[in-house]
Amino acid sequence: MATDDLIEMPGTVTDVYPGGVFEVTLVNERKVQAYLSGKMRQHKIRVVLGDSVTVGVTPYDLTKARIMFRHK
């Protein structure tokens, strides 16, 4: 799936799990399981509890997402 097909939504990290998995609460109060994108891992961008992030949600499975950007 291309990155253009993702639905981008803002959210907040509400929980951190082992293995680089995060629980993100979106603006519409829906919770998704998210992981870091490859570029964020490559540049060692740290995401911690309470960070505001932008996630890309696939239209096929609305419970999983990819963290694409961390806001300050």
Side-chain angles (χ1 to χ4, degrees), residues 41-54:
R41 286 181 191 242
Q42 178 182 0
H43 294 290
K44 297 179 175 76
I45 296 173
R46 300 287 181 208
V47 175
V48 296
L49 190 66
D51 277 351
S52 176
V53 294
T54 299

Side-chain angles (χ1 to χ4, degrees), residues 20-35:
V21 179
F22 302 89
E23 183 177 270
V24 178
T25 303
L26 303 175
V27 293
N28 60 359
E29 300 300 323
R30 184 171 289 240
K31 293 187 179 191
V32 294
Q33 223 178 15
Y35 62 93

